[in-house]
Amino acid sequence: MKWTGLNELRESYLKFFESKGCLRHKSFPLVPQNDKSLLLINAGMAPLKPYFTKQEVPPRTRMTTCQKCIRTNDIENVGKTARHGTFFEMLGNFSFGDYFKEEAISWAWEYITKVLEIPEDRLYVTVYQDDDEAERIWHEKVGVPMDRIFRMGKEDNFWEAGIDGPCGPCSEIYFDRGEEYGCGKPDCTIGCDCDRYMEFWNLVFTQFERHEDGTYTPLAQKNIDTGMGLERLAALMQGVDSIFDVDTIKAIRDHICEIAGCEYGKEYKKDVSIRVITDHIRTVTFMASDGVLPSNEGRGYVMRRLLRRAVRHGKLLGINGLFLKDLVKTVVDCSKGEYSELEEKYDYIVKLLTNEEKNFNETIDRGMGILNTYIDELAVSQISKTLDGKKCFTLSDTYGFPIDLTKEILEEKGFVADEEGFRQALEIQKETARAARGGSKYMGADETVFHKISRDYSSKFVGYDTLTAEAIIDYIATEEELLTNAGVGDEVYVVSSLSPFYAESGGQVGDIGTIVTKTGVCEVLDTQKAVGGKIAHKVKVVEGAIETGEMASFKVDAENRLAVMRNHSCAHLLQAALRTVLGDHVHQAGQLVNAQRLRFDFSHFSAMTTEEIEKVEQLVNTYILAGIDIDTKEMPIDEAKKLGAMALFGEKYGETVRVVKMGNASIEFCGGTHLDNTSKAGLFKIVSESSVAAGVRRIEAVTGWGVLDVMAQNAKTISDSAAALKLANTSELAEKCRSAAAEIKELEKERAALQNIVAEAKSSAILAQGRQICGLKLMVSKIEGAKPDEIRRMAEAIRDKLADSVCVIACVNGDSGNLCVACGKEAVAKGALAGKLVGRIAALASGKGGGRPDSAMAGISDVSKVEYALSQADEILTEFVEAKK
């Protein structure tokens, strides 16, 4: 057995299975395609589900991949042990009704003993307890001694997902690491919980169909699904104790130690932090390269959580300032050979992660301030030593303040966290996330009516070259069933073997138009892609009736298609202009192009300035007026990449791609429809620029006739505005607006000054009505028509005058009301906490609110109960003061 680097291992595996006739396929993106059951790809077979379930035809019946994977069910334990991690690579070889057990077993043994040269006397295998065939192959064909073959039960050696669907026995291969890793027990063997016997390859033989009643029947198409963790294999081959000691991962680990000025293996707490950062920086770097953005939900929340956990552990190591960007370089250098997207998106990844790191550094400071407020409230009230679980969760969820950090700080101050309440709040969030993923059938694939059509049937798109075609209507369908005919008024789907209609994809909407037969006329309302490469035309029968088997004339609405093409081609020019003006970190994050407008989402970390928007708009129009020819060509994906064609984040491409080139301005992968010359777009106008999410901006724009419509609308707005200001000449509008704004500003100042005078007068009147309660001066008042800010100013003015004051003021405006409570320093010290008082009083009028101990606001829903709520202020204040005593 020879030492082998992780990258060399990956290459040797893929080359070996290529030699066995397997198609070597690049890793699929981490973001699942059309799979609602997963947030992120978590196994080598996950992206191949459509091939296993026969929903799609595989490019070859035998394949091999090294798949990027992320598992997040154990994030809290990452770092605490050297076993846990979130990101890993899964080596796999697969068969879709091609080779089966004998080949899978024989090839696995050949690879590990002949290619890797692992000694046979250190290898063991397990088989399912009833799988005589697998045992026979291992013993009779491969030559593994019977005392090295172990039969295991269903829990260990039988794979199935859910209550129905394909499943089957599996066989696992183990490596004996040596007695020094064992537990020392006489019966220590395969299945022992100690570290001696390491399972490193799982061969799954999918040969049964499980039914809901618990019975099993043989599958007509038997499949092979194998999985071997690359990092685990590398640890085995390199003779190291954990994945964190493997060459490429150790490089990241060592870089962290260099930045932090510490040494791995000397102190447990520091080792935990080093492992957390090592794992998490790999994960978020790969996520960023596949287009995942930090957010507060779904996979974006996973990314944000991992990144913030890494930053927090950097602080625990004493790292000051921004450091993730330095580690990204090491991650990229270690993996760019196989994952070219890391190097291609390097600048973008650095900007994205650095921006999130900066935001978290600010956030954690805000979180610390809020936690200190909570601690002050606990100290003042002296009612409890436990911080409410919901507050702990708010700190974690909203402010990114980890629960373990909250616990640590609370313990330093003599308090504890309500961990059970925190877990309950966390579980509610998890349930919400699960619901958001939506329900799905076996392996995450939603069943549709189009699954009833043979998977070998597909539709050919001919609409790049023509807008009309003749074809037979092969299928008519509703959402639930296949039909043979449809009549006037029916809305159905029509499927044919070829079509000039573009099906919605890549952000371009589906074509509209007509389908005409001898017996009927259909209006095509939309065109969608269906499973297995089928084109589904959503139609409404407007004349006569249609039947399957009829020849039909398919005609795309030419004017609508042209308008869509203007917007789509300009979306490409827009991306090119944005990258020129803003930088190479700009990448498409989503788009919608229809006949009316284009909407383009892109990665950028601040609002565009007016000057930047003008530059981008001018550059796009320069491209248009230059009359650049637009060329489209299909070519091998490697050739397209060499030409510099831009690919979409997280998009799944085949071996052949369509490239759209617009001179030297733009070159992109794109399957959409386009103009043949930029001049046909007419003009381009940006109508808005806004934020979509953290790190994502959105531009909406119009082209061609849409620009003229915007110009006409703007001209009318200017004319109407001038008329409202009684101006005869619209050229005077800007100056008139400036002078009006200045006048309004002066009037606002005067108004504010008068409000302060009125507030002072009202405060004095309220002050005179005060009464003594438990040694404090309580003032209660209701003011009709006052605004929330006014009652807050009044209450705080009284608070600032009297240290022993408790001021309660309500205002009512129509059907809504507000309540303000302000407490002086002495009052707070005696237990009068504004944040608590305002909540108790407002609740009596169906309201809620809170705030600081010295000032708090609440909203009131039932204004009819305001008087009653205020009348209880004496009793509630007495309760708080007495509790403090």
Side-chain angles (χ1 to χ4, degrees):
M1 188 168 80
K2 56 186 178 181
W3 188 97
T4 311
L6 181 141
N7 289 320
E8 290 73 29
L9 276 173
R10 183 197 303 111
E11 186 63 22
S12 76
Y13 179 91
L14 295 173
K15 277 189 173 180
F16 175 81
F17 280 99
E18 271 190 295
S19 74
K20 301 302 182 183
C22 293
L23 171 67
R24 175 174 175 168
H25 199 290
K26 182 179 171 62
S27 172
F28 293 88
L30 284 164
V31 179
Q33 306 287 315
N34 303 316
D35 187 344
K36 294 181 181 179
S37 69
L38 294 174
L39 280 179
L40 294 158
I41 294 298
N42 62 0
M45 60 79 67
L48 306 175
K49 290 176 184 179
Y51 306 148
F52 283 113
T53 57
K54 300 185 183 180
Q55 292 174 14
E56 295 181 19
V57 178
R60 197 178 297 176
T61 54
R62 51 179 72 176
M63 291 177 65
T64 184
T65 64
C66 182
Q67 176 63 43
K68 300 175 287 190
C69 300
I70 292 176
R71 290 181 184 170
T72 59
N73 54 322
D74 238 357
I75 291 176
E76 293 82 1
N77 289 321
V78 173
K80 292 179 181 178
T81 74
R83 290 182 176 182
H84 293 89
T86 55
F87 178 85
F88 62 98
E89 298 177 58
M90 182 69 80
L91 298 167
N93 55 285
F94 311 94
S95 165
F96 313 108
D98 191 329
Y99 67 84
F100 198 49
K101 285 184 189 179
E102 186 165 331
E103 294 90 341
I105 290 172
S106 299
W107 293 345
W109 191 255
E110 181 184 349
Y111 176 69
I112 58 181
T113 60
K114 304 302 182 186
V115 178
L116 299 185
E117 298 179 11
I118 298 176
E120 294 185 17
D121 62 1
R122 299 185 70 176
L123 294 171
Y124 294 80
V125 297
T126 63
V127 296
Y128 178 53
Q129 60 189 10
D130 297 331
D131 195 351
D132 297 334
E133 181 186 11
E135 183 184 78
R136 178 182 57 77
I137 295 170
W138 276 117
H139 181 56
E140 297 179 8
K141 297 286 185 179
V142 175
V144 177
M146 287 300 295
D147 62 357
R148 290 180 175 271
I149 302 173
F150 292 76
R151 290 191 180 232
M152 307 291 275
K154 196 171 187 180
E155 185 177 337
D156 296 302
N157 278 64
F158 195 93
W159 180 87
E160 54 190 344
I163 60 173
D164 62 352
C167 58
C170 59
S171 182
E172 296 180 328
I173 306 174
Y174 286 77
F175 175 73
D176 181 359
R177 302 175 71 197
E179 290 184 8
E180 63 272 26
Y181 290 95
C183 57
K185 297 176 182 177
D187 59 347
C188 179
T189 187
I190 299 298
C192 184
D193 290 334
C194 71
D195 294 334
R196 177 172 177 176
Y197 299 97
M198 181 175 79
E199 179 269 316
F200 65 96
W201 201 347
N202 188 17
L203 316 177
V204 180
F205 314 124
T206 313
Q207 64 187 89
F208 298 114
E209 177 86 20
R210 176 183 167 128
H211 305 283
E212 290 188 10
D213 62 2
T215 60
Y216 298 85
T217 54
L219 280 173
Q221 174 184 298
K222 295 177 172 60
N223 303 317
I224 290 293
D225 161 25
T226 81
M228 176 163 56
L230 176 59
E231 292 85 352
R232 176 173 282 207
L233 178 64
L236 184 160
M237 294 300 297
Q238 294 173 20
V240 294
D241 290 339
S242 80
I243 60 171
F244 293 95
D245 301 310
V246 167
D247 59 333
T248 55
I249 303 173
K250 181 177 179 292
I252 303 167
R253 190 196 80 190
D254 290 346
H255 194 173
I256 294 164
C257 291
E258 180 186 336
I259 294 171
C262 62
E263 187 177 348
Y264 185 70
K266 295 294 184 182
E267 184 182 332
Y268 174 72
K269 282 190 175 180
K270 287 187 176 181
D271 287 353
V272 169
S273 294
I274 293 167
R275 287 192 289 262
V276 166
I277 301 169
T278 301
D279 173 78
H280 290 2
I281 190 62
R282 290 181 80 214
T283 307
V284 297
T285 297
F286 274 91
M287 291 178 84
S289 75
D290 277 343
V292 180
L293 291 165
S295 69
N296 287 328
E297 59 185 14
R299 62 185 67 94
Y301 177 74
V302 171
M303 183 181 193
R304 173 163 285 168
R305 183 181 175 194
L306 294 174
L307 190 148
R308 291 183 168 187
R309 198 163 184 257
V311 173
R312 188 242 161 178
H313 277 274
K315 291 182 180 294
L316 293 179
L317 289 175
I319 300 175
N320 295 315
L322 305 173
F323 69 96
L324 295 185
K325 62 182 185 298
D326 300 320
L327 298 177
V328 170
K329 181 71 166 62
T330 306
V331 175
V332 172
D333 285 345
C334 288
S335 300
K336 64 186 179 184
E338 179 67 18
Y339 305 108
S340 58
E341 62 271 21
L342 292 173
E343 191 167 37
E344 292 164 5
K345 307 292 192 299
Y346 174 73
D347 290 339
Y348 165 77
I349 295 167
V350 167
K351 286 195 176 185
L352 176 67
L353 300 190
T354 300
N355 188 64
E356 182 69 12
E357 186 179 7
K358 281 180 182 175
N359 290 340
F360 180 53
N361 283 337
E362 295 171 5
T363 295
I364 202 166
D365 290 337
R366 289 198 298 270
M368 192 71 217
I370 291 168
L371 178 56
N372 284 334
T373 299
Y374 291 157
I375 290 171
D376 289 343
E377 289 179 357
L378 287 171
V380 169
S381 69
Q382 295 186 358
I383 297 172
S384 172
K385 291 284 186 181
T386 303
L387 181 62
D388 178 69
K390 289 183 180 178
K391 290 181 176 178
C392 292
F393 181 72
T394 298
L395 280 167
S396 172
D397 187 54
T398 305
Y399 298 99
F401 216 73
I403 183 63
D404 51 348
L405 183 57
T406 299
K407 285 163 55 181
E408 187 177 319
I409 294 170
L410 285 171
E411 287 167 7
E412 289 172 1
K413 304 289 185 180
F415 301 102
V416 295
D418 172 16
E419 293 186 65
E420 181 57 33
F422 172 83
R423 281 192 289 269
Q424 289 175 2
L426 181 62
E427 189 56 36
I428 290 171
Q429 187 205 57
K430 285 181 178 179
E431 287 296 332
T432 303
R434 289 187 196 110
R437 283 202 294 269
S440 60
K441 300 292 183 183
Y442 168 68
M443 285 184 153
D446 284 337
E447 288 285 340
T448 68
V449 67
F450 303 107
H451 284 85
K452 297 178 181 180
I453 301 173
S454 168
R455 72 165 184 160
D456 296 323
Y457 178 94
S458 61
S459 307
K460 181 181 179 182
F461 174 61
V462 297
Y464 290 133
D465 305 312
T466 181
L467 298 181
T468 61
E470 301 290 317
I472 293 172
I473 295 176
D474 292 317
Y475 298 95
I476 300 172
T478 63
E479 295 286 352
E480 293 84 22
E481 60 181 337
L482 295 175
L483 307 174
T484 56
N485 57 66
V488 171
D490 289 345
E491 287 193 12
V492 294
Y493 291 99
V494 167
V495 182
S496 57
S497 60
L498 65 83
S499 171
F501 283 77
Y502 182 83
E504 181 176 345
S505 179
Q508 179 178 327
V509 298
D511 278 330
I512 59 174
T514 59
I515 297 175
V516 179
T517 70
K518 287 182 179 179
T519 58
V521 177
C522 300
E523 178 186 356
V524 180
L525 307 173
D526 191 14
T527 309
Q528 294 288 325
K529 280 186 175 180
V531 63
K534 302 167 183 64
I535 296 176
H537 310 81
K538 185 175 183 180
V539 307
K540 181 174 183 178
V541 183
V542 293
E543 290 181 27
I546 59 171
E547 293 183 1
T548 56
E550 276 191 302
M551 180 62 73
S553 297
F554 291 71
K555 185 176 182 181
V556 175
D557 184 318
E559 186 177 338
N560 184 81
R561 166 75 83 83
L562 181 59
V564 172
M565 291 195 299
R566 288 192 193 102
N567 286 326
H568 199 162
S569 294
C570 281
H572 284 223
L573 296 176
L574 172 59
Q575 176 162 225
L578 286 167
R579 287 172 64 84
T580 299
V581 174
L582 302 179
D584 290 343
H585 65 279
V586 169
H587 290 277
Q588 180 180 326
Q591 74 170 7
L592 171 67
V593 286
N594 57 27
Q596 291 73 43
R597 60 178 178 143
L598 69 92
R599 187 183 75 202
F600 188 81
D601 297 346
F602 59 99
S603 52
H604 189 54
F605 307 104
S606 60
M608 290 178 67
T609 64
T610 302
E611 182 183 11
E612 288 170 339
I613 293 172
E614 289 174 353
K615 282 184 177 179
V616 168
E617 186 174 276
Q618 185 178 33
L619 189 52
V620 173
N621 281 307
T622 299
Y623 294 145
I624 291 171
L625 296 175
I628 302 168
D629 284 336
I630 299 174
D631 300 315
T632 58
K633 186 179 179 182
E634 287 193 351
M635 62 183 70
I637 189 168
D638 290 337
E639 182 182 336
K641 287 182 176 180
K642 287 177 184 176
L643 291 174
M646 288 189 65
L648 283 180
F649 271 132
E651 190 70 19
K652 183 171 72 173
Y653 294 102
E655 295 303 308
T656 302
V657 295
R658 190 166 182 267
V659 175
V660 178
K661 188 175 186 295
M662 304 181 187
N664 294 323
S666 169
I667 179 167
E668 294 187 28
F669 293 18
C670 185
T673 60
H674 286 274
L675 303 170
D676 57 16
N677 188 282
T678 59
S679 63
K680 293 184 178 180
L683 285 172
F684 172 84
K685 178 68 180 172
I686 294 174
V687 295
S688 69
E689 191 273 350
S690 60
S691 172
V692 178
V696 181
R697 307 296 300 178
R698 170 174 291 172
I699 279 179
E700 297 199 39
V702 291
T703 63
W705 293 105
V707 177
L708 296 180
D709 290 341
V710 169
M711 291 171 64
Q713 290 167 12
N714 289 345
K716 186 175 186 306
T717 299
I718 291 170
S719 177
D720 291 348
S721 300
L725 292 169
K726 296 181 172 55
L727 290 175
N729 191 343
T730 56
S731 64
E732 300 172 1
L733 183 60
E735 182 56 38
K736 182 66 175 178
C737 288
R738 279 192 288 271
S739 63
E743 184 179 344
I744 291 168
K745 189 175 181 180
E746 286 301 315
L747 290 171
E748 286 290 342
K749 285 182 182 178
E750 293 177 19
R751 178 175 173 272
L754 288 171
Q755 282 181 331
N756 287 335
I757 293 170
V758 171
E760 181 68 27
K762 289 181 178 178
S763 297
S764 298
I766 294 169
L767 193 56
Q769 299 170 9
R771 54 188 180 275
Q772 291 292 320
I773 301 290
C774 299
L776 300 174
K777 189 165 186 178
L778 174 65
M779 286 140 285
V780 181
S781 180
K782 174 189 172 188
I783 303 175
E784 295 283 350
K787 293 183 178 179
D789 280 350
E790 290 180 56
I791 65 171
R792 181 180 54 78
R793 281 196 296 269
M794 292 178 206
E796 290 182 353
I798 293 172
R799 175 201 65 191
D800 294 341
K801 286 181 181 179
L802 293 177
D804 65 346
S805 63
V806 176
C807 186
V808 182
I809 306 178
C811 65
V812 175
N813 289 281
D815 295 331
S816 64
N818 294 90
L819 182 69
C820 179
V821 176
C823 303
K825 287 183 180 179
E826 291 181 16
V828 171
K830 289 186 176 182
L833 304 176
K836 301 287 186 182
L837 286 167
V838 79
R840 284 284 300 279
I841 297 170
L844 298 174
S846 302
K848 59 183 178 179
R852 302 190 312 270
D854 65 335
S855 180
M857 294 289 295
I860 292 174
S861 300
D862 190 347
V863 295
S864 67
K865 295 180 180 178
V866 170
E867 298 282 0
Y868 169 71
L870 294 177
S871 72
Q872 301 302 303
D874 298 47
E875 185 178 329
I876 294 171
L877 175 60
T878 300
E879 180 185 330
F880 274 83
V881 175
E882 290 298 325
K884 173 69 172 177
K885 292 179 181 178

